Amino acid sequence: MNYEELKAQIGALDGAQAKDYRELLAVASIAGGVWPQFAGHLSDAQDYKGFFKAIYDDDACRFENAWALWAKMHKEPWADRFEPECALRGVLLENKGIFLEGGGNELLIPLHGRGHGANVYVFADNGFNAKAAEFYGSINGSFTCVGIELEGAFDIFRAHRALIFERWTVDKLRRRAHGKGQIRTGCDCSAQW
């Protein structure tokens, strides 16, 4: 398959599906073709679905935008394809979500699938493709989640019956490293300004 055939097949789609696949094409394309890392996937594909599925099946593409968009569109269970610091699988969803407990308070983080099993993951900063998940919020402090004890600053994500914590890497000024934000995670009066 070549790029013009891919464009023509996606252009022939209609309805909500057309919008999703046009967006996928946009993130996979550059300068009248696909990104070089996707060229082999395109030449081997029989149709547009085969092309995007081949990208998703390739672990070398796990951090690509096209990979993340396909995973999100198809509610793929993708988190186990990365290397979590900690994972708890098969947590029963009894209250339409999972509780986060800390400082005498509880927060219910809603997840889909009441009565089904969910998975909870803890990843290092940039340890997974965050674009495949839905950002829920951030938290700092000491807390527990289904028996997992966590301390520090974390972003919280949801992805089809998965709850994901991404541990922040903090710089010497106690700001989030890697340019993802500058929310202070504490006060150190001895810090040099």
Side-chain angles (χ1 to χ4, degrees):
M1 172 177 227
N2 64 40
Y3 183 71
E4 293 306 318
E5 292 172 313
L6 177 66
K7 269 179 53 176
Q9 286 183 13
I10 291 172
L13 296 174
D14 60 353
Q17 188 180 34
K19 178 185 176 290
D20 291 339
Y21 279 101
R22 279 195 298 269
E23 188 175 352
L24 264 170
L25 179 63
V27 298
S29 300
I30 185 171
V34 295
W35 286 92
Q37 62 268 34
F38 303 145
H41 301 96
L42 181 61
S43 64
D44 294 342
Q46 300 298 317
D47 61 9
Y48 67 98
K49 285 185 179 179
F51 168 62
F52 293 114
K53 180 76 168 111
I55 292 171
Y56 177 75
D57 289 342
D58 184 357
D59 277 347
C61 296
R62 291 178 302 165
F63 286 93
E64 300 291 341
N65 291 338
W67 184 97
L69 191 54
W70 175 270
K72 202 171 193 178
M73 261 176 63
H74 294 279
K75 296 182 174 134
E76 298 279 359
W78 52 262
D80 283 322
R81 292 181 59 186
F82 296 88
E83 295 78 36
E85 292 177 356
C86 176
L88 184 61
R89 293 171 184 85
V91 176
L92 187 60
L93 296 175
E94 295 178 6
N95 292 307
K96 296 186 180 182
I98 294 177
F99 280 101
L100 197 61
E101 302 171 25
N105 297 309
E106 291 183 333
L107 170 68
L108 177 67
I109 301 172
L111 291 176
H112 298 289
R114 184 176 178 162
H116 291 90
N119 299 328
V120 179
Y121 299 92
V122 179
F123 284 100
D125 206 354
N126 295 317
F128 72 101
N129 191 335
K131 291 182 177 150
E134 173 195 356
F135 178 72
Y136 183 75
S138 298
I139 191 166
N140 180 37
S142 298
F143 54 95
T144 61
C145 182
V146 292
I148 300 172
E149 293 189 23
L150 298 166
E151 186 167 343
F154 295 85
D155 281 342
I156 303 169
F157 295 88
R158 301 180 301 180
H160 188 64
R161 280 193 243 134
L163 179 61
I164 301 167
F165 296 95
E166 181 184 24
R167 184 183 309 277
W168 287 17
T169 301
V170 180
D171 66 15
K172 65 183 180 179
L173 294 177
R174 295 186 173 254
R175 297 178 303 186
R176 185 161 190 189
H178 309 301
K180 283 190 170 180
Q182 299 302 319
I183 299 170
R184 295 186 60 86
T185 61
C187 179
D188 182 356
C189 296
S190 65
Q192 299 284 328
W193 294 98

